[in-house]
Amino acid sequence: MTKQASARELSRRGVIAAAGIGAMALPAIARAQTPPAPAAPPSTITTPPRDFSPRGAPTTYFSDPDVLTVDPSFGALAQPNASIMRLWTGALWAEGPAWNAQGRYLLWSDIPNNRQLRWLEDDGRVSVFRMPSNNSNGNSFDFQGRQLSCEHLTRRVVRYELDGSISVLADSYQGKRLNSPNDVVAHPDGSYWFTDPPYGGQLYEGAPDAAGGASNAQGKLKPTLGQAVGMGTYKRELPTNCYRVAPDGKIDLVVTEQQVPDPNGLCFSPDYKKLYVVSTGKGPGDTGPGGKGDVYSFDVGTDNKVSNRKLFSDFMVDGVKCGPDGVRCDVSGNLWA
């Protein structure tokens, strides 16, 4: 290369280098001229939108960003690696989940569709477990592994025996038909405790009262439509109470409507010395005192009677009035709602 050509090449490289530096510097200058965005509180919406199905991407290793901790003590109770995952969708009104440890399946009610569904842990398959279910709501399993269900349509509590037959545990109290049993729990002494609010006395979750009843006072609804013979003929006769079914079948009133209006979910403490009962809002045609969305606790005596009623929680969380429904206690005595 001649001296003249070499000089031209050096000059060309210099121009290119200068142009490159200028191109890199311009965005920095532009950024410096843009005012910073105003500060905003963190969003509670995941970005990008979250796919909660089994096909969704995994969450961070230590915690799910959509599990929000209000009180730091919750951090010791939640499993860090566990993430929110939607197992199934498609119910009109999903209620009453119960886990069967022996069969390793989750059972729940789809009340308006008059069926119970089951999710199998081994392959994630969901199938219809029982149909019709008599518009069942709360479900549970007793200490012998037998399924317990609260039926809205028939206004009763039943137990499915291990051979597949059905036993009626309770359908009336002192000769009067129950309203619509909602939740049931087993006690080690062989008894069953359940709540009886009026929520099932409507077309969507069972059948309304016969003409003149609380949920059909004007008689405009025909509760027998689409029902089996004998269904839709009941009328509300009892307040909203909690009951105990003794091993011999005797039914006792344990918590009155005056103590806990509109009782919903209920559970025992791990030592079975305390009973927790949820008081929810009024049901259809309810003229009683009406619940306020709180939870009460009672001491359970050796005579199976309850005492020392206390307001356990009014469920005001950071100034927001929450509405508890189903409840369960863990082995450490923490109440989950």
Side-chain angles (χ1 to χ4, degrees), residues 176 179 196-197 236-243 256-258 263:
K176 297 179 180 180
N179 299 316
D196 187 36
R236 183 176 175 185
E237 302 176 290
L238 292 166
T240 61
N241 302 321
C242 296
Y243 301 94
T256 67
E257 182 178 62
Q258 285 67 39

Side-chain angles (χ1 to χ4, degrees), residues 65-335:
D66 288 307
V67 176
L68 306 181
T69 299
V70 177
D71 189 308
S73 63
F74 182 77
L77 302 175
Q79 174 62 34
N81 308 57
S83 62
I84 301 172
M85 183 172 66
R86 185 175 62 199
L87 300 180
W88 182 83
T89 186
L92 285 179
W93 183 259
E95 274 269 23
W99 174 251
N100 184 291
Q102 175 65 22
R104 302 202 68 79
Y105 63 82
L106 179 70
L107 171 81
W108 72 94
S109 296
D110 181 3
I111 304 177
N113 278 323
N114 197 20
R115 61 182 180 172
Q116 295 173 0
L117 297 156
R118 179 178 60 176
W119 174 84
L120 297 174
E121 185 185 51
D122 56 357
D123 61 1
R125 182 168 63 92
V126 173
S127 60
V128 174
F129 185 69
R130 182 172 285 109
M131 185 174 184
S133 66
N134 292 322
N135 302 106
S136 67
N137 187 339
N139 302 287
S140 187
F141 292 95
D142 67 9
F143 294 92
Q144 289 73 44
R146 298 169 295 188
Q147 182 189 337
L148 312 171
S149 290
C150 296
E151 299 181 347
H152 279 178
L153 179 63
T154 54
R155 307 191 181 202
R156 67 188 187 183
V157 181
V158 300
R159 181 178 66 206
Y160 293 95
E161 308 298 343
L162 299 179
D163 62 3
S165 60
I166 303 174
S167 297
V168 177
L169 299 179
D171 60 8
S172 61
Y173 176 67
Q174 295 183 342
K176 297 179 180 180
R177 195 77 186 193
L178 297 174
N179 299 316
S180 59
N182 187 282
D183 199 8
V184 57
V185 290
H187 191 282
D189 67 1
S191 65
Y192 302 102
W193 301 51
F194 69 93
T195 58
D196 187 36
Y199 306 125
Q202 54 180 311
L203 288 171
Y204 194 68
E205 295 189 33
D209 288 336
S215 63
N216 192 17
Q218 303 301 319
K220 295 180 179 179
L221 302 175
K222 191 173 183 180
T224 57
L225 287 178
Q227 304 293 358
V229 175
M231 295 297 99
T233 59
Y234 306 127
K235 186 184 297 184
R236 183 176 175 185
E237 302 176 290
L238 292 166
T240 61
N241 302 321
C242 296
Y243 301 94
R244 175 184 181 268
V245 183
D248 63 2
K250 183 175 183 293
I251 301 175
D252 292 315
L253 173 63
V254 289
V255 179
T256 67
E257 182 178 62
Q258 285 67 39
Q259 292 173 300
V260 179
D262 296 298
N264 198 319
L266 82 168
C267 71
F268 288 105
S269 59
D271 58 6
Y272 291 87
K273 293 182 178 180
K274 285 192 178 296
L275 174 70
Y276 298 95
V277 185
V278 178
S279 179
T280 316
K282 287 190 175 184
D286 195 356
T287 58
K292 297 180 175 60
D294 40 29
V295 175
Y296 292 89
S297 68
F298 297 86
D299 292 336
V300 182
T302 55
D303 57 357
N304 298 310
K305 294 182 179 179
V306 301
S307 61
N308 196 24
R309 170 184 174 270
K310 292 181 179 178
L311 177 63
F312 178 76
S313 174
D314 62 3
F315 273 78
M316 287 291 294
V317 181
D318 282 0
V320 177
K321 178 63 175 178
C322 301
D325 190 314
V327 288
R328 283 296 181 267
C329 264
D330 63 22
V331 295
S332 298
N334 299 298
L335 189 75

